Amino acid sequence: METPDAGLAYSVQAQAARYYSVSEGAMDEARQDYLDALPVAASVLCQNEAGRSFIDISNEIFCGAADWDPAKDPIWIDQIEFFKATGIGPALDDFLKRGEKAFQFDRQESQSISGRHYTVRLSRLRSTPYAPQRCLMSLIDKTMQVETEKNLRAEMLRDSLTGLPNRLAFNERVAAVFGDPLFKEGSHAVLVVDVTRFSRVNESVGALAGDELLITFARRLCSVLRPGDFLARTGGDEFGILIRLDRGMKDALRFADRIKAELSMPFHLSEMEICVDCSIGCALFGSHSNLPEELLRNAQFALKRAKTAGRTQLYEPDEAHAARRRFRIETDLRRAIEADQLELAFQPLIDLSTGAISGFEALARWDHEEDGHVSPTEFIPVAEESGLILPLGQWALAAALDVLADWDRQAGRKLPIYMGVNLSAVQIQRDDVSAVVAVALKKSGIEGGRLMLELTESAIVHDPERAAEVLEAMRALNVQVAMDDFGTGYTSLAYLQRLPIDLLKIDSRFVTGMLGDPDSAAIVRAILSLADALGMATAAEGVECADLAAELKRMGCTNGQGFHFSEPLGAEAALDYWMSRSA
Ligand code: C2E
Ligand code: MG
Ligand code: MG
């Protein structure tokens, strides 16, 4: 027996056949053929005068996709499960009422994982007297594409070594916390944990064991997490942890302590047992930044400090500013070196017993186009960090020796003075100093004995073997060597005794305030007797007044350098100074 729905469908087709004046059977077949020929699920949907939508005709793919049997199931859209589960029903009603030509949208069959994804395309068909609103609906199955995208995305957010979320995923999570309407400033923190000297471990035990260490490290970190904390591998040997804070900053520091305690126990790898240390930097949410990447970067700034300080550090708001400034200095300094815009100033060293000039120290000067004078105490460290100190140092050496040669020419004789040039620890480590010095001496025609290279203690402490080689090479060239800023570093006395050093320059921090500070005076006295025992000459830096010069002379200090005698001068002024003092 015919169902009422089937009866209605029959009568619609019968009316249509009459309308197009073809036989009902031929009409039916033609339309079914068209739909069946389509490679996607398709069906013609109509809306009757009462505004109720129903399926007029559909192809087999559609019947399969919608799990709908035209012979048994109701034709009314509001009664078909598929249209309800996907929410296509209301969208369809709406489209048919609105009168647009075409409309397209995406729908998922249900929220369950197995639910298929469709792009639904509705194209309006001509209205007929029996069905005032008609359209063709095609369903394009996008499930494969959506799944692939989902997998790709999951892959993109995961670190393949540890299986942890990666930096991208971490930033997304941080963004979600910021986006939470209940978010409060200081309610969360980002910790960045770094395996101290991981590259050393990697080098000495091999990359495979290094990987194993990272995996074990990650596992340990996981064990410290509380519900709701989020751990990710944000860099090679760097892990980010997003934590919620109940009692502000104190919570973060306590958490960092827990991590340190957990990681302080030895790691058992398959072939060895290894102990590593970690450094932790921390940045609080919302206090200084509101961008996820910025928060991680801030924690990394703090981490950098933690590495030298040896304990957990909190981000300080000025750090980002200072880093930006360093970056700008680096860019501009590179340009200035290339454009030969740096200059040298020359500060005399005075023989305290005779008042004669022993030599000049060449000091780099940079007049920045916008910022004006930038101090070498600012740009030299940047140059050291960026490697720019190599071209800068070579330039300073060559330029200083050229100036001395020029002074000789102007005076018409070889001046009885030396030229002091500063040599950075980085140059010792990374440049071929002996070749550079030999070439500069040759080019300028200055004898090795008139060059005094000033090294700081750090040059020796970092790599004593290499420093010793360089100093031996200098001795072969007859170049003199001064230990600069003595007293601020940690040179062992053994090195001091072994290395060929001609002059100890006592750092100004002991000298300048010495008259009113017995402790500084005692240190200066100790350094003077040490130099005496080792057969080295001495120079006191930062001599700012006559009394100080007199006292240093009395104590037996060989040379004095400082504003009391002269500030650093331009090349011409320095030569004039020499002339006036030697007249
Ligand atoms: P330094 O080698 O210890 O140079 C001495 C510094 O003390 C100079 O600062 C000088 O201007 C300053 N000074 C001189 N007399 C006095 C005084 O009486 N009182 C006070 N308070 N300061 C005095 P400057 O020129 O700012 O240079 C700072 C540092 O920058 C230098 O310290 C040196 O370590 C580095 N530097 C400068 N030029 C070069 C260079 O060409 N190469 C390298 N590697 N380092 C350089
Ligand atoms: Mg110096
Ligand atoms: Mg110095």
Side-chain angles (χ1 to χ4, degrees):
M1 202 186 91
E2 269 183 355
T3 63
D5 288 346
L8 181 133
Y10 170 78
S11 82
V12 166
Q13 284 162 15
Q15 284 179 47
R18 236 170 285 131
Y19 174 74
Y20 290 110
S21 26
V22 287
S23 86
E24 283 169 34
M27 174 79 188
D28 249 6
E29 275 170 26
R31 294 194 314 160
Q32 189 66 51
D33 276 355
Y34 283 136
L35 284 197
D36 286 344
L38 291 175
V40 294
S43 115
V44 173
L45 306 168
C46 304
Q47 200 170 63
N48 65 16
E49 305 225 306
R52 199 169 178 209
S53 308
F54 59 93
I55 300 181
D56 180 2
I57 177 172
S58 49
N59 66 7
E60 251 178 59
I61 309 179
F62 174 84
C63 296
D67 194 20
W68 181 74
D69 183 347
K72 290 204 309 253
D73 294 329
I75 61 162
W76 301 107
I77 300 296
D78 53 18
Q79 289 177 354
I80 300 173
E81 188 49 39
F82 175 76
F83 285 94
K84 286 197 250 173
T86 52
I88 295 176
L92 170 76
D93 281 341
D94 210 40
F95 168 75
L96 288 175
K97 269 187 211 127
R98 277 202 314 261
E100 271 168 280
K101 279 196 125 173
F103 184 53
Q104 179 171 314
F105 53 94
D106 288 339
R107 277 290 186 279
Q108 190 183 354
E109 204 170 354
S110 70
Q111 287 313 307
S112 75
I113 306 166
S114 59
R116 304 196 72 75
H117 296 262
Y118 294 105
T119 293
V120 183
R121 206 171 281 165
L122 302 175
S123 316
R124 188 168 296 278
L125 300 175
R126 239 183 316 170
S127 63
T128 64
Y130 68 88
Q133 306 297 344
R134 290 165 73 235
C135 73
L136 174 74
M137 177 181 78
S138 42
L139 298 175
I140 297 146
D141 191 336
K142 292 208 315 178
T143 312
M144 279 269 282
Q145 190 184 332
V146 170
E147 291 301 318
T148 313
E149 269 169 24
K150 232 195 256 169
N151 291 342
L152 267 179
R153 192 167 160 66
E155 216 39 55
M156 252 170 64
L157 293 173
R158 204 174 61 91
D159 166 51
S160 55
L161 180 68
T162 58
L164 288 177
N166 62 14
R167 172 193 289 258
L168 199 64
F170 189 76
N171 282 338
E172 280 193 3
R173 180 59 78 95
V174 171
V177 171
F178 277 127
D180 186 338
L182 297 176
F183 168 73
K184 276 212 308 276
E185 215 171 77
S187 62
H188 288 73
V190 163
L191 301 185
V192 177
V193 186
D194 173 278
V195 189
T196 312
R197 288 184 296 279
F198 177 73
S199 53
R200 273 251 188 105
V201 175
N202 228 3
E203 274 162 21
S204 49
V205 301
L208 219 59
D211 283 355
E212 198 185 348
L213 174 64
L214 284 178
I215 295 168
T216 326
F217 193 89
R219 228 177 270 146
R220 283 261 185 101
L221 281 176
C222 273
S223 71
V224 204
L225 300 183
R226 307 158 308 175
D229 293 342
F230 187 82
L231 170 68
R233 182 176 176 213
T234 48
D237 58 349
E238 185 197 283
F239 296 84
I241 310 178
L242 169 63
I243 57 169
R244 199 177 25 78
L245 305 174
D246 296 324
R247 287 174 300 272
M249 200 169 70
K250 268 197 211 130
D251 261 8
L253 293 175
R254 209 168 298 136
F255 191 78
D257 285 345
R258 280 231 316 279
I259 294 175
K260 284 210 155 188
E262 181 64 34
L263 297 172
S264 67
M265 283 175 280
F267 286 82
H268 303 280
L269 308 184
S270 40
E271 304 221 320
M272 72 194 80
E273 193 180 280
I274 202 170
C275 275
V276 293
D277 199 10
C278 68
S279 311
I280 303 178
C282 174
L284 296 193
F285 264 61
S287 35
H288 312 295
S289 61
N290 281 310
L291 290 172
E293 312 86 66
E294 217 172 280
L295 199 67
L296 188 61
R297 195 156 11 108
N298 291 350
Q300 285 165 337
F301 281 128
L303 172 69
K304 201 168 167 197
R305 249 187 314 114
K307 285 183 188 173
T308 36
R311 61 198 144 79
T312 304
Q313 299 284 312
L314 283 173
Y315 168 71
E316 312 263 350
D318 290 343
E319 268 174 289
H321 175 75
R324 271 197 295 276
R325 162 110 185 145
R326 271 200 302 277
F327 183 71
R328 194 166 77 97
I329 293 276
E330 182 187 327
T331 317
D332 295 353
L333 182 62
R334 174 166 289 127
R335 219 174 292 140
I337 293 172
E338 278 165 12
D340 201 17
Q341 283 168 350
L342 295 189
E343 288 187 20
L344 287 175
F346 302 88
Q347 189 177 35
L349 284 96
I350 307 296
D351 182 330
L352 291 173
S353 55
T354 64
I357 297 173
S358 307
F360 284 87
E361 176 178 3
L363 294 158
R365 292 290 175 263
W366 181 23
D367 218 4
H368 189 279
E369 281 163 357
E370 287 158 32
D371 300 1
H373 173 76
V374 183
S375 164
T377 52
E378 182 172 14
F379 70 77
I380 294 289
V382 174
E384 290 179 324
E385 208 177 276
S386 59
L388 285 173
I389 193 70
L390 303 192
L392 193 158
Q394 292 175 10
W395 162 80
L397 176 69
L401 292 180
D402 283 349
V403 166
L404 184 57
D406 190 50
W407 287 346
D408 285 353
R409 263 192 301 278
Q410 289 190 48
R413 66 186 169 112
K414 204 190 284 175
L415 300 182
I417 52 174
Y418 66 76
M419 182 60 82
V421 176
N422 291 285
L423 194 67
S424 148
V426 178
Q427 286 172 273
I428 303 243
Q429 277 161 24
R430 300 195 2 214
D431 210 351
D432 183 357
V433 172
S434 47
V436 168
V437 169
V439 168
L441 288 172
K442 191 152 181 254
K443 265 197 169 160
S444 61
I446 298 288
E447 300 148 20
R450 295 175 77 202
L451 172 62
M452 172 84 77
L453 288 181
E454 298 194 3
L455 276 73
T456 53
E457 289 173 82
S458 59
I460 293 167
V461 176
H462 280 148
D463 191 349
E465 296 309 313
R466 185 148 174 114
E469 273 170 36
V470 172
L471 294 200
E472 286 305 330
M474 289 307 105
R475 168 173 278 187
L477 290 168
N478 199 27
V479 169
Q480 303 186 66
V481 173
M483 176 62 70
D484 205 353
D485 306 340
F486 188 71
T488 57
Y490 302 95
T491 325
S492 93
L493 289 182
Y495 285 125
L496 212 53
Q497 187 192 15
R498 204 158 47 133
L499 295 173
I501 293 165
D502 304 281
L503 177 75
L504 272 193
K505 295 187 78 177
I506 309 167
D507 194 81
S508 61
R509 86 183 63 172
F510 307 118
V511 176
T512 309
M514 186 186 89
L515 293 180
D517 177 11
D519 289 347
S520 296
I523 292 174
V524 172
R525 208 169 295 121
I527 296 177
L528 289 174
S529 65
L530 176 71
D532 191 37
L534 295 171
M536 298 172 185
T538 46
E541 300 178 345
V543 181
E544 293 187 354
C545 64
D547 289 351
L548 191 53
E551 178 61 10
L552 287 162
K553 177 183 173 184
R554 207 189 53 75
M555 288 164 83
C557 182
T558 329
N559 297 290
Q561 176 182 6
F563 298 160
H564 165 60
F565 302 107
S566 167
E567 296 198 356
L569 304 165
E572 252 171 68
L575 180 60
D576 290 346
Y577 183 81
W578 187 85
M579 302 273 196
S580 69
R581 258 195 112 94
S582 313

